[in-house]
Amino acid sequence: MKMQAEVIREGELEKRSDSLFQLWKKKLVVLTKDSLSLFPDGHKRAKGKELGFGSILKVDCVERTGKYIYFTIVTKDRKEIDFRCPDQSCWNASITMALIDFQNKRAIQDFKSRQEME
């Protein structure tokens, strides 16, 4: 049984679809210390897609317009996933900070493992 991770933030984001028309679709998003989970149609009952921070390279390409902040999550296999959020919500900052925290903890674990091996 999978343990529930502590939720850092939960709310709505818009994700650009991969379809020909590249429409913006609202997603319920749950940010934890290890991942970002996306649920279609704003319901956690539906099967969500989890982006583990181990598979995310960076949050990139932040652009602010009058109404929205646009940003891109780049995965380690170079896939780009585009999002937008209302200007004042700062989802991009929340995701970036959680990702940095995850990467720092992983780097410390790797360093300690190498020291123990020597």
Side-chain angles (χ1 to χ4, degrees):
M1 181 162 77
K2 190 174 179 182
M3 296 266 303
Q4 282 283 32
E6 180 184 340
V7 174
I8 296 171
R9 185 168 181 187
E10 184 173 325
E12 200 171 79
L13 265 179
E14 291 184 51
K15 178 186 170 291
R16 189 187 332 238
S17 69
D18 295 330
S19 70
L20 176 66
F21 298 111
Q22 296 188 336
L23 302 172
W24 290 99
K25 297 193 178 193
K26 290 185 180 191
K27 304 286 184 183
L28 174 64
V29 180
V30 178
L31 176 65
T32 68
K33 63 185 178 90
D34 298 317
S35 68
L36 184 69
S37 296
L38 308 167
F39 298 93
D41 304 323
H43 300 290
K44 283 201 272 187
R45 294 184 304 264
K47 176 83 172 128
K49 179 178 181 181
E50 183 178 47
L51 292 170
F53 285 151
S55 68
I56 296 176
L57 187 61
K58 61 183 173 175
V59 177
D60 199 13
C61 196
V62 178
E63 180 182 338
R64 178 174 271 122
T65 65
K67 188 175 178 183
Y68 293 106
I69 295 175
Y70 294 83
F71 61 98
T72 302
I73 291 179
V74 181
T75 63
K76 289 188 176 176
D77 60 357
R78 301 292 182 200
K79 181 178 178 192
E80 295 184 353
I81 307 166
D82 296 325
F83 293 94
R84 73 179 183 186
C85 59
D87 186 28
Q88 300 301 314
S89 72
C90 299
W91 264 102
N92 58 310
S94 297
I95 296 167
T96 300
M97 294 305 294
L99 177 61
I100 289 169
D101 189 49
F102 175 87
Q103 290 171 336
N104 285 342
K105 286 178 182 170
R106 168 108 9 125
I108 290 168
Q109 288 173 343
D110 291 348
F111 177 76
K112 286 180 179 177
S113 294
R114 282 195 301 273
Q115 277 191 323
E116 290 171 1
M117 294 175 90
E118 292 176 357

